[in-house]
Amino acid sequence: MRPPRARFFNTTGPCDPQRHYILPPAERLPQARVLIEMDRYFVLHAPRQTGKTTALRTLASELTAEGDIAALMLSCERAKSAGDDYAAAESILLKSLREAAARSGWPEQLLPPDHLPQDPAGTRFGSALSEWCRRSPRRVVLFLDEIDAVQGNSLVSILSQLRDGHNARPEGHPFPVSVALCGLRDLRDYKVASGGEPGRPNPASPFNIVESLRLGDFTTDEIAELYDQHAQATGQEFTKDAVDRVFELTQGQPWLVNALANEVIIKMQVSGTITTALVDEAKERLIRARATHLDTLVARLREPRVKRVMEPVLAGTFPDIDSTYSDDLSYVRDLGLIKQRPPLEVANPIYREVILRVLGGPSEDYVMADPHSFVLPDGRFDLSRLLEEFVVFWREHGEVLIRQEGYHEAACQIILMAFLHRLVNGGGQLDREYAAGTKRLDVLVRWPYTGPDGERQVQREAMELKVWRAGENDPKPDGLAQLDRYLDRLTLTTGMLVIFDRRPEAPAWKERGALEQATTPTGRQITLLRV
């Protein structure tokens, strides 16, 4: 007998319990079973690669095995190619329905009909579901996975047929007792798609869905439980601090949790205990590699409705709120780019880092300075000299880069971060914090070096960025107070405050661009730079 295959952390597609470490999928959706028992139609939404498909597939298998229900998960992804051609979309979905049922291994009496209904286009999907339910000895439950793939008139058609079938059930019309629409989008988006005015929901559509479930991220305990499966199987453990660091970096985003573990174990080929330092190294490698998950996410940054939400987050400003802003905010939350609850900030530190690196990529190409020239003889990093070099860079390229930057309001922050990243990240790391309404961006530079005694040490330098915009007061007093609090949190005695003066009446260059000393409210001596 062949030994069982070793399991691993999955970063591509649905999970298989025989091959992957996995938390009990159905336990992540306890409310779904309750809604199905109540014959409800509902929405399940979450960002990509959070475990929606795995959870639905497992729940469908469990429900069917219990004997009273025939539950089937159907992927709608192939229907994307149909666009507005609702007849083609129906044909694709019905073919996918039959194929999914055939793969399930069900007996013949549970299978949906193997022929296309002869009804007019725009009614065939509903007719096929009705015929299936009429023939089935069990109650039928349908999970429509990747429903977001169905576009335009095709989506309107499918939702309308589901609504008609749902509403006819009290009259004895055979139709699925429960349907879940599963994808990125929340309930409101389906109401818009199924008959509301552009950008506005139709409160009567689709059907009478009132429940919307969101598949949550992992907690620290759940990460520990997942990683413990690997420890039990191999003897290789994650320290408690490493688990805590993973949660800190990912905020429990399932793909990131698995990807960090996979990076350490498979790609870095670590064989001993997994520590915080190894997790940090894996994070850097993951960001540099720009895996498909991260690339897909940041590709959304150029979408107007995403930019509208993300730009004030990066700039630290307050968003312009009008009648459509809440829709854009919900959309960006559904993508997983920002946290589900206030304050308005990026969902986790890894996304936060990736976003700035991606947006700052074009600016990095302009940086010609040699990173090694900023390393002092004792191995420490000369951050003051880097800022002096940045002043020269800003004078030469700043206005050009600002005009080129799509995120115009956050251009100053993006460009300085690109400069820092280009020169620091070869040997050190940057930790950045920003959120809408804070009017600042905080940066911690961490630079490892060997001390005089031969011991490995880490130099830490804190910096705060602020922008002086037209019509505003000098941000220096607030900046000094905010930097004080940041330094308190980091237990550092000094730091740097950089203020970009973007007012039309800003002083000439000869009056700014030099490093100065300033005193914070608590008496700290810090370095001030106005550019």
Side-chain angles (χ1 to χ4, degrees):
M1 179 182 294
R2 293 177 60 186
R5 295 172 62 184
R7 292 194 295 166
F8 56 91
F9 290 98
N10 183 35
T11 59
T12 56
C15 289
D16 177 353
Q18 302 302 314
R19 301 176 60 221
H20 306 133
Y21 300 121
I22 181 175
L23 296 175
E27 290 182 13
R28 299 183 64 200
L29 278 177
Q31 314 97 311
R33 182 178 280 271
V34 173
L35 292 174
I36 291 167
E37 290 172 354
M38 297 171 66
D39 294 349
R40 293 285 181 83
Y41 284 30
F42 60 95
V43 167
L44 170 64
H45 72 107
R48 294 199 182 282
Q49 295 184 298
T50 53
K52 299 187 298 295
T53 299
T54 300
L56 288 180
R57 179 181 290 172
T58 303
L59 181 58
S61 297
E62 291 179 358
L63 289 169
T64 302
E66 292 168 7
D68 179 53
I69 288 174
L72 186 66
M73 188 192 75
L74 163 66
S75 174
C76 303
E77 194 165 10
R78 286 192 292 181
K80 184 174 184 177
S81 62
D84 281 325
D85 187 345
Y86 55 86
E90 278 185 316
S91 298
I92 293 170
L93 289 177
L94 289 173
K95 187 173 188 296
S96 297
L97 179 73
R98 294 192 299 273
E99 291 174 351
R103 287 193 300 270
S104 68
W106 288 353
E108 180 68 26
Q109 66 267 26
L110 294 184
L111 297 177
D114 58 3
H115 59 276
L116 285 174
Q118 300 303 307
D119 302 87
T123 64
R124 291 182 297 170
F125 187 69
S127 296
L129 294 182
S130 180
E131 175 63 16
W132 178 23
C133 294
R134 186 186 65 78
R135 294 169 39 176
S136 175
R138 300 187 184 184
R139 300 157 65 222
V140 171
V141 171
L142 185 61
F143 299 146
L144 294 175
D145 195 22
E146 301 287 353
I147 186 66
D148 309 89
V150 187
Q151 304 286 320
N153 289 335
S154 297
L155 180 59
V156 172
S157 174
I158 296 302
L159 293 179
S160 298
Q161 293 177 67
L162 290 174
R163 180 178 64 238
D164 289 347
H166 170 277
N167 291 343
R169 290 185 311 162
E171 303 165 6
H173 181 68
F175 212 68
V177 296
S178 181
V179 172
L181 306 179
C182 180
L184 281 174
R185 296 182 293 188
D186 199 358
L187 171 61
R188 191 180 194 286
D189 297 275
Y190 299 112
K191 288 188 174 184
V192 170
S194 63
E197 300 174 24
R200 295 181 179 275
N202 176 356
S205 306
F207 17 94
N208 292 320
I209 287 184
V210 293
E211 296 288 347
S212 175
L213 307 181
R214 186 183 187 276
L215 191 63
D217 295 324
F218 295 156
T219 64
T220 307
D221 288 343
E222 286 172 331
I223 295 173
E225 179 185 344
L226 182 70
Y227 285 1
D228 188 58
Q229 294 177 21
H230 175 73
Q232 295 297 324
T234 66
Q236 183 181 34
E237 296 185 346
F238 289 76
T239 67
K240 182 182 184 304
D241 286 345
V243 172
D244 291 342
R245 181 61 173 159
V246 168
F247 180 77
E248 180 185 351
L249 291 171
T250 67
Q251 295 297 295
Q253 205 286 333
W255 185 89
L256 291 176
V257 170
N258 279 275
L260 285 175
N262 181 69
E263 191 74 28
V264 173
I265 296 164
I266 303 299
K267 297 187 178 181
M268 293 165 56
Q269 298 185 339
V270 172
S271 56
T273 300
I274 297 169
T275 63
T276 301
L278 291 170
V279 170
D280 283 335
E281 182 181 347
K283 181 261 294 185
E284 284 299 313
R285 289 167 56 100
L286 201 63
I287 291 172
R288 286 197 300 269
R290 289 273 299 278
T292 302
H293 170 88
L294 298 176
D295 256 359
T296 301
L297 198 69
V298 299
R300 302 274 191 172
L301 293 174
R302 299 299 179 185
E303 293 181 16
R305 62 194 305 200
V306 174
K307 177 176 176 287
R308 184 184 180 200
V309 173
M310 295 303 300
E311 189 167 26
V313 172
L314 288 159
T317 56
F318 289 99
D320 293 327
I321 298 177
D322 60 19
S323 60
T324 62
Y325 177 75
S326 62
D327 297 333
D328 295 341
L329 180 62
S330 296
Y331 175 67
V332 177
R333 281 200 170 117
D334 287 345
L335 292 177
L337 277 168
I338 60 174
K339 290 187 174 181
Q340 293 299 305
R341 294 179 179 83
L344 183 55
E345 60 184 328
V346 177
N348 59 66
I350 291 180
Y351 288 178
R352 195 162 61 210
E353 185 72 14
V354 170
I355 288 168
L356 272 177
R357 291 196 194 183
V358 169
L359 294 177
S363 297
E364 274 195 58
D365 294 337
Y366 284 77
V367 182
M368 296 293 112
D370 179 7
H372 299 290
S373 67
F374 298 95
V375 181
L376 296 166
D378 63 0
R380 302 177 84 244
F381 193 84
D382 192 344
L383 190 58
S384 294
R385 182 168 168 268
L386 180 144
L387 288 179
E388 291 172 347
E389 190 75 22
F390 175 74
V391 171
V392 176
F393 174 84
W394 183 255
R395 285 174 176 171
E396 184 175 354
H397 302 295
E399 295 303 325
V400 173
L401 292 174
I402 284 176
R403 286 196 297 271
Q404 292 176 356
E405 176 53 55
Y407 277 61
H408 187 78
E409 289 298 309
C412 296
Q413 293 91 331
I414 291 169
I415 295 167
L416 178 52
M417 288 301 96
F419 191 87
L420 279 171
H421 177 255
R422 171 73 176 81
L423 299 177
V424 171
N425 243 53
Q429 294 182 12
L430 300 174
D431 296 332
R432 308 173 240 216
E433 299 179 17
Y434 52 89
T438 61
K439 296 187 177 181
R440 71 182 189 274
L441 187 152
D442 295 328
V443 188
L444 175 64
V445 178
R446 291 184 288 138
W447 183 267
Y449 70 101
T450 303
D453 55 0
E455 291 292 322
R456 198 68 169 161
Q457 300 183 30
V458 178
Q459 173 189 355
R460 297 191 303 150
E461 302 276 2
M463 182 188 304
E464 183 160 301
L465 281 62
K466 295 185 76 67
V467 180
W468 192 352
R469 305 180 192 278
E472 296 181 349
N473 295 325
D474 186 350
K476 177 183 172 182
D478 285 345
L480 291 172
Q482 290 167 339
L483 180 57
D484 243 346
R485 293 192 291 271
Y486 188 43
L487 294 173
D488 282 343
R489 185 151 54 89
L490 297 173
T491 63
L492 292 175
T493 58
T494 189
M496 298 180 174
L497 174 62
V498 179
I499 298 176
F500 289 89
D501 194 340
R502 300 302 299 160
R503 298 171 302 150
E505 66 273 22
W509 268 112
K510 63 182 180 181
E511 301 177 41
R512 53 194 172 117
L515 299 181
E516 311 169 24
Q517 291 299 303
T519 305
T520 69
T522 62
R524 285 186 175 96
Q525 293 300 303
I526 63 99
T527 300
L528 172 66
L529 172 64
R530 293 182 184 269
V531 289

